[in-house]
């Protein structure tokens, strides 16, 4: 019977023209503006062009180096690692503990559910899925503008979200009162998703006073804080940059912390991250099971090479000291470029249109341009930026600074 059926199939002529095309029904998905920017730059035939769309640290030679501390940790892992077997769904418990103690300090303990994740994006997605699957899903409140992947992640998870204004690119200032005003529409049990230091894409961080005022509002209204830490060590120091998460953890019975270590350790492709959820004692086993189930249905298991490198460095005082020195140098280079932009504009042009950049932190900032001015920046001057005016100042070499200033002045006038 089987052979007969098989023979019938071999002799049957299939009219593919009349078949049903499934994939033609797939609608267009929104494309990441960073990826679009990279494509436009690649397609630009000019040789005198400048790519400020890249979202990674680069040195003065346009390279993203492998840190010496990372190289040494990798050497040790190659020599000592005895297995490539699976870890738990929530990853290496030792890595989570070491990282939790490093980032959260004394606020880290048994009241946290932790999971090793494939970078920060997966940590965000696991949490988004968990919130969306609750019987009465909360609304996640976002700053605007903010990290470009938040909305795609929340949308894919079918998580409810709303937005509050955070920054005015033309005015070059944080719209703090408007942000707090927008949160009056949030209800108890909702979640506020914020970034830690080196806000992406604006480069504008809240002052300590503003941050404390925000926490007071969240506490008064029963809103759960969710902080995303992507640039630890690029603002003041690694230790100082952990302060916001520690303040939240010390103040709230429930909170969420997502971490990526791609930038801090320069291991972008190795995907080292973590999710930490602070819960009450009776809820902890249930949250752990929920996180495990969500991980299983998605990433299944986090890659371990990057996290093992991180764990190796953090557990060895000499390696840790070397890594912190290298991190300090990366931070200093970005701060120096920001200062050079301001100084060059003042000395060579007598203006301070970009002086605000020296007061901001991290790799990214928004240029104070309208949409038409942003278009002209690329069309007339060969300078490519992410839609919305985001630039990676770490990509600039000293010889590029005058070029950027002249181009911005030209399109603004």
């Amino acid at each position: 019977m089987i052979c007969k059926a098989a023979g019938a199939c071999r002799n049957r002529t299939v009219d593919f023209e009349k078949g049903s095309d499934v994939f033609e029904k797939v609608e267009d998905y929104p494309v990441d503006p960073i990826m679009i920017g990279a494509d436009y730059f690649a397609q630009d035939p000019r040789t005198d062009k400048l790519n400020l769309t890249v979202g990674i640290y680069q040195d003065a030679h346009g390279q993203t180096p492998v840190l010496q501390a990372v190289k040494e940790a990798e050497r040790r892992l190659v020599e000592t690692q005895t297995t490539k077997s699976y870890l738990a769904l929530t990853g290496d418990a030792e890595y989570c503990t070491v990282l939790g103690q490093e980032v959260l300090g004394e606020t880290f303990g048994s009241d946290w559910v932790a999971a090793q994740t494939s970078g920060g994006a997966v940590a965000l997605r696991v949490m988004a899925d968990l919130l969306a699957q609750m019987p009465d899903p909360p609304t996640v409140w976002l700053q605007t503008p903010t990290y470009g992947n938040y909305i795609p992640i929340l949308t894919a998870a079918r998580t409810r979200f709303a937005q509050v204004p955070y920054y005015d690119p033309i005015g070059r200032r944080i719209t703090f009162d408007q942000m707090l005003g927008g949160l009056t529409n949030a209800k108890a049990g909702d979640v506020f998703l914020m970034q830690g230091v080196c806000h992406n894409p604006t480069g504008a961080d809240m002052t300590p006073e503003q941050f404390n005022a925000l926490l007071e509002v969240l506490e008064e209204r029963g809103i759960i804080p969710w902080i995303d830490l992507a640039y630890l060590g690029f603002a003041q120091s690694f230790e100082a940059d952990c302060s916001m998460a520690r303040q939240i953890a010390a103040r709230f019975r429930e909170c969420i912390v997502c971490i990526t270590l791609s930038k801090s350790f320069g291991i972008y492709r190795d995907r080292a991250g973590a999710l930490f959820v602070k819960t009450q004692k009776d809820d902890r086993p249930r949250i752990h099971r929920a996180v495990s189930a969500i991980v299983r249905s998605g990433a299944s298991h986090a890659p371990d090479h990057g996290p093992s490198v991180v764990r190796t460095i953090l557990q060895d005082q000499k390696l840790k000291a070397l890594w912190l020195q290298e991190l300090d140098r990366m931070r200093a280079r970005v701060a120096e470029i920001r200062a050079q932009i301001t100084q060059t504009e003042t000395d060579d042009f007598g203006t301070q249109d970009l002086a605000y950049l020296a007061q901001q932190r991290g790799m990214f900032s928004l240029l104070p341009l309208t949409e038409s001015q942003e278009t002209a920046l690329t069309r007339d001057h060969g300078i490519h930026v992410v839609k919305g005016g985001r630039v990676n100042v770490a990509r600039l070499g000293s010889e590029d600074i005058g070029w950027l200033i002249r181009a911005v002045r030209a399109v603004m006038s």
Side-chain angles (χ1 to χ4, degrees):
M1 182 179 294
I2 294 176
C3 294
K4 182 177 180 180
C9 290
R10 282 196 299 269
N11 295 328
R12 187 176 64 191
T13 301
V14 179
D15 187 350
F16 289 102
E17 294 298 323
K18 296 181 179 179
S20 176
D21 293 328
V22 174
F23 296 119
E24 71 177 4
K25 301 173 185 176
V26 176
E27 298 179 352
D28 279 338
Y29 276 61
V31 181
D32 189 324
I34 297 175
M35 298 301 102
I36 293 176
D39 288 343
Y40 286 163
F41 181 80
Q43 294 164 11
D44 189 338
R46 292 173 288 188
T47 56
D48 55 337
K49 57 183 180 178
L50 181 60
N51 184 9
L52 300 183
T53 68
V54 63
I56 58 178
Y57 172 82
Q58 293 185 316
D59 61 20
H61 307 290
Q63 302 298 316
T64 302
V66 180
L67 302 185
Q68 293 179 39
V70 168
K71 278 290 190 184
E72 175 58 23
E74 289 180 319
R75 183 189 66 78
R76 295 184 189 182
L77 285 173
V78 169
E79 294 178 353
T80 62
Q81 197 171 54
T82 59
T83 182
K84 295 289 186 179
S85 179
Y86 286 123
L87 296 169
L89 292 172
T90 50
D92 178 8
E94 185 179 11
Y95 163 79
C96 291
T97 297
V98 169
L99 185 60
Q101 292 171 341
E102 195 72 37
V103 173
L104 296 165
E106 294 181 355
T107 65
F108 180 75
S110 61
D111 48 353
W112 291 85
V113 172
Q116 172 184 329
T117 62
S118 178
V122 172
L124 290 161
R125 177 58 191 267
V126 170
M127 197 65 228
D129 280 331
L130 193 152
L131 296 174
Q133 293 168 16
M134 292 173 62
D136 182 17
T139 297
V140 176
W141 293 81
L142 301 172
Q143 301 164 326
T144 302
T146 193
Y147 174 47
N149 208 20
Y150 284 159
I151 289 179
I153 287 172
L154 295 172
T155 300
R158 300 189 177 183
T159 310
R160 295 176 183 171
F161 66 89
Q163 301 177 65
V164 292
Y166 176 74
Y167 182 81
D168 175 9
I170 304 300
R172 303 156 220 180
R173 62 183 181 86
I174 293 176
T175 54
F176 186 71
D177 291 339
Q178 291 175 262
M179 182 180 73
L180 294 188
L183 287 175
T184 59
N185 296 314
K187 67 178 189 301
D190 280 353
V191 178
F192 183 67
L193 174 53
M194 72 188 92
Q195 294 186 49
V197 294
C198 304
H199 189 274
N200 179 6
T202 71
D205 292 342
M206 290 178 281
T207 65
E209 293 75 21
Q210 288 174 327
F211 181 62
N212 186 65
L214 170 63
L215 295 190
E216 288 182 0
V217 169
L218 300 182
E219 194 170 34
E220 289 171 1
R221 298 190 62 82
I223 301 170
I224 307 300
W226 178 1
I227 188 167
D228 182 25
L229 304 171
Y231 306 98
L232 293 172
F234 276 88
Q236 300 179 72
S237 68
F238 190 89
E239 178 73 14
D241 292 355
C242 294
S243 174
M244 293 175 72
R246 294 177 185 180
Q247 290 179 61
I248 289 172
R251 190 164 182 167
F252 290 82
R253 293 191 305 168
E254 296 181 328
C255 60
I256 307 158
V257 179
C258 290
I259 300 171
T260 178
L261 300 168
S262 297
K263 292 81 178 175
S264 304
F265 287 81
I267 50 175
Y268 298 88
R269 68 177 65 170
D270 292 330
R271 313 308 299 145
L275 168 65
F276 293 94
V277 185
K278 186 181 180 183
T279 68
Q280 298 184 60
K281 182 178 180 180
D282 291 344
D283 299 330
R284 210 164 304 132
R286 191 168 60 257
I287 298 301
H288 185 272
R289 288 193 296 271
V291 169
S292 298
I294 293 168
V295 168
R296 179 60 173 157
S297 66
S300 188
H301 290 84
D304 189 61
H305 179 76
S308 289
V309 167
V310 170
R311 187 192 65 244
T312 301
I313 292 172
L314 294 180
Q315 289 182 313
D316 183 286
Q317 289 306 308
K318 288 185 178 180
L319 272 185
K320 182 178 177 181
L322 175 59
W323 160 64
L324 288 174
Q325 290 172 6
E326 295 181 281
L327 179 57
D328 287 346
R329 285 197 291 270
M330 289 192 289
R331 179 180 68 253
R333 168 176 151 68
V334 177
E336 181 183 358
I337 290 295
R338 290 182 176 278
Q340 284 183 18
I341 293 171
T342 300
Q343 193 63 50
T344 301
E345 184 185 13
T346 300
D347 293 345
D348 296 355
F349 302 96
T351 58
Q352 293 190 322
D353 291 327
L354 300 180
Y356 69 97
L357 293 175
Q359 307 305 315
Q360 296 181 344
R361 304 187 296 191
M363 292 186 283
F364 307 115
S365 284
L366 293 179
L367 295 177
L369 304 179
T370 65
E371 186 175 351
S372 61
Q373 290 169 341
E374 181 187 321
T375 300
L377 188 71
T378 301
R379 182 190 64 222
D380 301 338
H381 302 276
I383 297 178
H384 292 253
V385 303
V386 176
K387 184 177 181 181
R390 195 197 82 170
V391 294
N392 181 0
V393 296
R395 174 60 186 87
L396 291 165
S398 297
E399 68 281 1
D400 301 322
I401 291 175
W403 180 5
L404 175 64
I405 295 170
R406 285 191 295 273
V408 170
R409 284 169 52 83
V411 300
M412 289 180 67
S413 61

